[in-house]
Amino acid sequence: MTPLTLALASAQEPRPAVQAPVATGPLASVDHKAPVKPGGLTPTWDTQKQARTYVLNIPAPRGQIVDRNGDPLAQTRVSYNLAINFPTPLTFTDEQVMQYAAPQIMLARSITGRPISITQDLLLKHYKNRGVLPLVIAQDLKQDEIDRFNERKPKSLSLLPTYQRYYPNHGLAGHIVGYAGRTGRMPDGPIQNNEVLWPGAEGREGLEQTFDDQLQGKEGQYNITFDPTGRKASEQVVIPPQPGYNVVTTLDSNLQRLCEEALEKGAKRGAIVMVDPNNGDILAMASWPTIDPNWFIPNISAEAYKALQDDPQIPMIPRAFRSSYPPGSTFKIPVGIAALQDHIIETDTEFSCPPSIEIGHLTFRNWKKRDAGMLNFADALTQSCDTWFYQVGIKAGGVRMGEWALKLGFGARTGIPLASENEGRIPNDEFMKKVHGRKMLDGDLANFSIGQGDVLVTPLQMAQAMAIVGNGGTFYQTRLVKQVQSIDGKIVTAYGVRARSQIDFEPKILKEVKRGMVQVVSDANGTAGRASVPNVKVAGKTGTAQWGPKNKERTAAWFSGFAPADKPKYAFAVVYESDVSNAEVHGGTVAAPLIGKVLREVFKDEAKEKKAKKKKGEKAEEPEEMEVRRAEPVEPKQETPRD
């Protein structure tokens, strides 16, 4: 191995601060035996103009990005490039350079199996400007290519080690991790002292971009010395590069993988976000389709990048936090909370649930075609009765509904350290006057009450709101990064758990909200039976809403909530994007099954443990019982549960 290879390989290992060793190789010096010209000394810059030392910088390896358990999401590896070595001193004519390079290129082709070629202009330019350095002709050799090289060990060719970013899980959390690109192209002009041996990397998206300064390490120093005849005398790593800091996220790789797999199998486009309601940690934040950051390493071709941009599925958009959608009936939770907490209605207040009602000069319909009778809040939430919420929303008013939406984190960025997070939108009179030229009318309030019209939220905001409801009112700062660590494990920066505010829910109101959400999943009249989990109470709410320009409308199908209902470990939000003009998808039929699949996998060990205890006659620990009203058996519905 060359000194550079050894230095690069060892630089990734944990180490204390490195003391720069004293250079020991031959350096350019005054030749004291040179004959003295009459009348003075022989100038060393004339007699030894070929003797020199080039001082070059070694780019440092970027630090790692890891999940909460230390599993790597982004790493740096040593990559090997194949290069032509030119003999020193550099005395070849142009013709001799071409004659020397031709067989080396043929040899490189036989070793790599690649169609390697190089133009005469590039070859001669390198020889004249940088001939003392090897000329790279093939990048990032695979292991079998490296093995074939080592079998032959040609002196005219060399393997040059470089650092390269690597994403071991490929597309897993690709939008969150982001990617790192080259800082520039390979230099081709005359060698300058303190230039880098190869272009470094800089974060271009995601956490790679946000934490670029911390991930960047400290460059090392590499000296190449030539004797008075111009022959290479020594090469030495004087200062090894020091790796950058490591970024520890709150993500759980296994949970992130489950969410992405569910989306891959069950949706063309969509997102799933899962948050720990007990501290605000983002455990999974999946957007589909995703990207593989390895596509951009060391760089992406113009054709491949254009294909990504032109893809109708828009894979470059992280839908979980950069896209906003009308929330549909999932928004009935904050609307109900607003009306209950401000005592516009009580938990036992009943309103009718007819197939339609007249508001102004317009008819506003329920998704069901039959009258469901008089309902209280929990039962209206269970059946997702639109006409019930139209009445309550108008009674509560836009100011009150808007204020409670803001208290639950809607209409504002969560503050995660990722660029271009969407803030969503909670409309008010000022917005309505600016956009529509009028204040909120009763029809607008009716739309507001069921999460349609001008309301927009992100999946991340929805999961955050469900966490607040699930934990009883604590609004934790949503957290994506736990800490930044040095290479030897010392904490450089810590991002602690922090409560932003506390909502004082009235206990009976919170109990009623949770009861309605549990019935959505478990009751015969509920709309989210496909999200049920054996032996676990899931609390949730479905939603279905249309958005987009006329004649090109899409449907956003939602399911959001938390589980277990009594002592939640997970708060979640799922959104499924339909194709254009496809109104046959609903929250209960496409979104609920996605999270149901994830939750059943997450809780399967707990279910096995309960079964084992039951067989042994032990009393399994049961969560605090929640009152759940069971509906009487009903005739099979004509309507498909959709909301």
Side-chain angles (χ1 to χ4, degrees):
M1 282 191 174
T2 67
L4 184 59
T5 303
L6 289 169
L8 266 59
S10 63
Q12 299 178 90
E13 300 171 0
R15 63 176 66 241
V18 178
Q19 295 291 329
V22 178
T24 57
L27 302 174
S29 58
V30 176
D31 186 354
H32 297 287
K33 296 182 180 179
V36 179
K37 287 185 178 180
L41 295 173
T42 302
T44 56
W45 57 85
D46 182 41
T47 59
Q48 299 192 79
K49 60 185 177 181
Q50 295 282 57
R52 68 189 68 188
T53 296
Y54 289 113
V55 179
L56 304 174
N57 294 336
I58 308 170
R62 289 174 73 82
Q64 295 189 83
I65 300 174
V66 302
D67 82 342
R68 64 191 304 110
N69 301 309
D71 294 333
L73 299 170
Q75 293 179 306
T76 296
R77 65 183 177 88
V78 177
S79 170
Y80 291 93
N81 297 335
L82 188 61
I84 298 176
N85 300 324
F86 293 101
T88 54
L90 303 177
T91 58
F92 285 166
T93 63
D94 289 359
E95 185 177 353
Q96 288 173 323
V97 171
M98 301 304 298
Q99 290 175 349
Y100 176 83
Q104 315 315 324
I105 293 173
M106 293 296 293
L107 178 58
R109 289 175 183 168
S110 68
I111 290 174
T112 63
R114 304 185 190 188
I116 297 171
S117 61
I118 186 168
T119 66
Q120 178 175 329
D121 289 346
L122 180 60
L123 184 61
L124 294 177
K125 185 176 184 180
H126 177 89
Y127 185 81
K128 292 174 182 178
N129 289 333
R130 313 176 64 81
V132 296
L133 296 176
L135 171 62
V136 173
I137 55 176
Q139 296 186 47
D140 196 17
L141 268 60
K142 307 302 181 189
Q143 188 56 51
D144 60 331
E145 296 173 311
I146 295 172
D147 292 341
R148 287 195 294 272
F149 175 89
N150 289 329
E151 287 173 4
R152 302 193 191 186
K153 291 185 170 36
K155 292 183 179 180
S156 56
L157 299 176
S158 61
L159 289 180
L160 296 183
T162 65
Y163 286 131
Q164 185 139 291
R165 206 56 166 157
Y166 175 61
Y167 303 92
N169 295 299
H170 298 280
L172 187 73
H175 290 113
I176 301 171
V177 175
Y179 59 91
R182 284 179 173 171
T183 55
R185 61 185 182 85
M186 288 290 291
D188 56 8
I191 301 172
Q192 303 294 323
N193 276 334
N194 299 313
E195 73 175 36
V196 291
L197 284 168
W198 65 85
E202 61 183 2
R204 299 282 174 79
E205 260 287 2
L207 295 175
E208 289 274 33
Q209 182 182 51
T210 303
F211 289 88
D212 188 56
D213 289 344
Q214 292 90 331
L215 291 164
Q216 295 279 4
K218 293 183 179 180
E219 293 180 342
Q221 182 179 321
Y222 185 61
N223 291 358
I224 308 176
T225 303
F226 297 86
D227 67 17
T229 68
R231 295 183 185 278
K232 185 188 294 183
S234 71
E235 50 186 326
Q236 181 183 35
V237 176
V238 179
I239 302 174
Q242 294 185 31
Y245 295 146
N246 298 321
V247 175
V248 183
T249 71
T250 61
L251 296 175
D252 182 318
S253 290
N254 293 327
L255 194 56
Q256 179 78 19
R257 185 174 289 106
L258 284 175
C259 292
E260 290 187 11
E261 288 175 351
L263 287 167
E264 181 181 16
K265 294 176 182 177
K268 287 183 181 179
R269 297 165 300 276
I272 300 177
V273 180
M274 298 187 74
V275 175
D276 185 338
N278 302 297
N279 56 22
D281 282 0
I282 297 173
L283 303 175
M285 188 162 61
S287 300
W288 196 262
T290 188
I291 60 169
D292 183 347
N294 290 306
W295 295 340
F296 301 87
I297 306 301
N299 49 47
I300 188 170
S301 69
E303 295 78 13
Y305 190 71
K306 187 175 187 304
L308 281 175
Q309 290 183 312
D310 294 343
D311 190 325
Q313 310 304 338
I314 321 178
M316 295 290 285
I317 292 184
R319 288 169 163 82
F321 63 91
R322 202 172 285 173
S323 292
S324 59
Y325 309 84
S329 293
T330 58
F331 206 65
K332 291 172 181 174
I333 294 173
V335 169
I337 288 173
L340 289 165
Q341 281 284 125
D342 288 351
H343 296 283
I344 304 303
I345 63 171
E346 302 300 328
T347 55
D348 58 353
T349 302
E350 292 185 339
F351 287 87
S352 62
C353 181
S356 65
I357 61 174
E358 299 296 318
I359 301 175
H361 301 293
L362 298 174
T363 300
F364 284 71
R365 302 185 184 281
N366 185 24
W367 69 274
K368 283 186 176 182
K369 296 179 181 178
R370 58 187 175 85
D371 195 316
M374 300 297 290
L375 302 174
N376 63 20
F377 166 74
D379 293 333
L381 191 70
T382 301
Q383 298 187 39
S384 199
C385 177
D386 294 334
T387 47
W388 191 97
F389 279 91
Y390 296 150
Q391 298 171 75
V392 171
I394 292 171
K395 194 174 180 65
V399 172
R400 186 170 282 109
M401 288 191 290
E403 286 177 349
W404 275 95
L406 294 174
K407 284 182 182 180
L408 291 170
F410 296 112
R413 296 183 179 91
T414 66
I416 57 171
L418 294 174
S420 303
E421 181 189 0
N422 196 310
E423 65 181 8
R425 182 171 65 218
I426 300 299
N428 53 23
D429 281 341
E430 183 182 351
F431 169 85
M432 297 298 290
K433 288 176 182 177
K434 183 177 180 180
V435 175
H436 301 291
R438 55 177 169 77
K439 66 177 184 177
M440 273 194 174
L441 303 177
D442 284 354
D444 301 311
L445 296 175
N447 274 330
F448 194 171
S449 71
I450 64 166
Q452 302 218 49
D454 293 291
V455 184
L456 293 174
V457 308
T458 69
L460 177 58
Q461 288 173 336
M462 183 62 74
Q464 177 180 254
M466 294 301 102
I468 297 169
V469 176
N471 69 33
T474 304
F475 188 164
Y476 287 106
Q477 171 60 52
T478 301
R479 191 169 66 150
L480 180 59
V481 173
K482 296 177 74 173
Q483 55 192 225
V484 177
Q485 296 181 355
S486 63
I487 190 70
D488 54 359
K490 294 179 181 177
I491 297 176
V492 177
T493 308
Y495 302 90
V497 174
R498 178 172 66 87
R500 292 175 56 178
S501 63
Q502 181 69 43
I503 299 175
D504 295 323
F505 289 122
E506 292 184 28
K508 70 174 184 178
I509 291 175
L510 186 62
K511 185 177 181 179
E512 198 71 359
V513 170
K514 288 187 176 182
R515 184 173 74 84
M517 293 177 71
V518 169
Q519 288 181 170
V520 167
V521 180
S522 60
D523 193 272
N525 282 324
T527 56
R530 298 184 190 187
S532 62
V533 178
N535 301 306
V536 176
K537 288 180 182 177
V538 178
K541 184 67 194 79
T542 53
T544 307
Q546 284 70 47
W547 95 105
K550 287 184 178 180
N551 302 321
K552 289 187 178 181
E553 286 186 333
R554 294 178 183 270
T555 298
W558 287 86
F559 183 63
S560 61
F562 43 87
D566 301 283
K567 295 181 180 179
K569 295 180 180 178
Y570 307 99
F572 55 81
V574 184
V575 67
Y576 173 108
E577 281 188 25
S578 78
D579 289 328
V580 173
S581 302
N582 179 6
E584 298 305 312
V585 299
H586 312 297
T589 57
V590 294
L594 292 176
I595 196 65
K597 184 175 182 180
V598 173
L599 292 176
R600 285 189 286 275
E601 185 67 25
V602 168
F603 286 112
K604 69 178 181 181
D605 291 336
E606 292 189 19
K608 288 178 182 177
E609 186 178 334
K610 285 184 179 180
K611 285 183 180 179
K613 285 184 177 182
K614 201 171 183 180
K615 283 183 179 179
K616 290 180 181 179
E618 299 177 18
K619 187 176 180 181
E621 291 183 14
E622 294 290 344
E624 179 183 346
E625 280 297 317
M626 176 182 295
E627 181 186 358
V628 178
R629 296 182 186 174
R630 296 290 178 183
E632 293 298 319
V634 294
E635 292 295 320
K637 304 174 188 175
Q638 293 182 353
E639 300 90 6
T640 301
R642 67 163 191 135
D643 212 11

